[in-house]
Amino acid sequence: MTAEITRDQIVAQLGHVPYDRFLFYIMGPYKSFNLNYVLSEEERQDIAIDDLPGPLRRLFQNKDEIDAAQALLRRFQGSLRVTPGVNAFLALDVDIPTEEVDAATQSIEFTRCSNATAFVLPFLGHNFGVGEEAGSILEALSETHGDRLIFVHEDDVTSAMIRSARVRWDLRVDTYDTEAELVEKLRRFVGGIMHRERRGELSQLE
């Protein structure tokens, strides 16, 4: 039997923002896909990395750099906590032992407790795990939380999971080109959910 996860439990572990009770769960890769970990030194020497297009050049991230995928999540999480001031959070921010609630169930419960959830797929990320978790969440909650979910992927990312999510669950799917564009689209999405809750089109979560 797993322990129950509640909205109060999540809110209590997050910092204060203007809209403490509006929970925005953000899912995305914590690790970048890095070809420096895959290719041998000899293979890397055969590639003119500086001459590659930007999206491909990013696949050769310096091993010593702070992981770009998690840094991206943290940056736009912080932006959303400031404007519009919602309680945006990552799974890492809520300390619930996996011995009590396994990671997949945690993701489902975080989504169930949240006013809005976004699956973000950057080109640089290890996105496979996010796609698998998204599938589990959609199977469990698409009928009750479908209007509160969005899938946002960088223009360069293509995925069978994205295509099937749009067709099978009628999930809202959007793209972005720059980080600023990503933040703006997530702000508009959150604003739309907030307005629909105020108008009574969506229930206001306690």
Side-chain angles (χ1 to χ4, degrees):
M1 183 176 179
T2 58
E4 180 184 3
I5 297 176
T6 67
R7 283 173 54 82
D8 287 338
Q9 185 178 5
I10 297 171
V11 171
Q13 296 194 49
L14 305 177
H16 292 296
V17 292
Y19 298 101
D20 279 348
R21 301 295 297 180
F22 191 100
L23 295 176
F24 186 18
Y25 179 36
I26 297 170
M27 293 186 62
Y30 296 150
K31 296 288 185 183
S32 299
F33 182 77
N34 190 348
L35 283 174
N36 280 319
Y37 290 103
V38 178
L39 300 179
S40 68
E41 184 67 32
E42 183 178 341
E43 288 171 325
R44 288 198 299 272
Q45 288 176 354
D46 290 336
I47 300 172
I49 296 174
D50 290 340
D51 295 333
L52 293 173
L56 292 178
R57 196 164 55 247
R58 281 181 288 167
L59 295 179
F60 292 88
Q61 175 188 340
N62 188 317
K63 291 182 181 181
D64 297 325
E65 291 178 1
I66 295 173
D67 193 274
Q70 187 171 153
L72 169 66
L73 295 179
R74 288 301 189 192
R75 284 197 301 273
F76 71 76
Q77 175 196 13
S79 296
L80 293 162
R81 291 178 67 83
V82 172
T83 306
V86 296
N87 225 341
F89 72 99
L90 311 182
L92 294 172
D93 300 328
V94 184
D95 185 18
I96 298 176
T98 53
E99 293 80 10
E100 295 179 13
V101 185
D102 66 85
T105 302
Q106 285 189 30
S107 289
I108 292 171
E109 290 305 305
F110 291 155
T111 301
R112 192 190 309 276
C113 291
S114 295
N115 301 73
T117 297
F119 309 106
V120 179
L121 300 184
F123 180 77
L124 55 76
H126 275 296
N127 291 313
F128 182 72
V130 179
E132 283 204 327
E133 283 198 50
S136 298
I137 289 170
L138 289 166
E139 285 285 357
L141 300 176
S142 61
E143 291 188 9
T144 57
H145 284 63
D147 288 341
R148 299 180 183 272
L149 306 175
I150 188 170
F151 215 122
V152 190
H153 64 93
E154 197 167 356
D155 281 336
D156 298 310
V157 174
T158 58
S159 165
M161 174 62 203
I162 296 172
R163 291 189 292 272
S164 66
R166 189 194 297 269
V167 174
R168 181 172 181 178
W169 293 290
D170 194 28
L171 178 66
R172 178 175 173 178
V173 177
D174 209 338
T175 63
Y176 71 95
D177 184 49
T178 66
E179 187 174 329
E181 184 181 4
L182 169 63
V183 171
E184 184 56 35
K185 289 193 174 187
L186 291 177
R187 282 179 176 148
R188 288 202 299 267
F189 172 67
V190 166
I193 297 294
M194 297 177 87
H195 285 307
R196 293 182 68 186
E197 287 185 350
R198 290 169 183 156
R199 292 196 298 263
E201 295 176 13
L202 291 173
S203 59
Q204 291 196 5
L205 304 182
E206 295 299 327

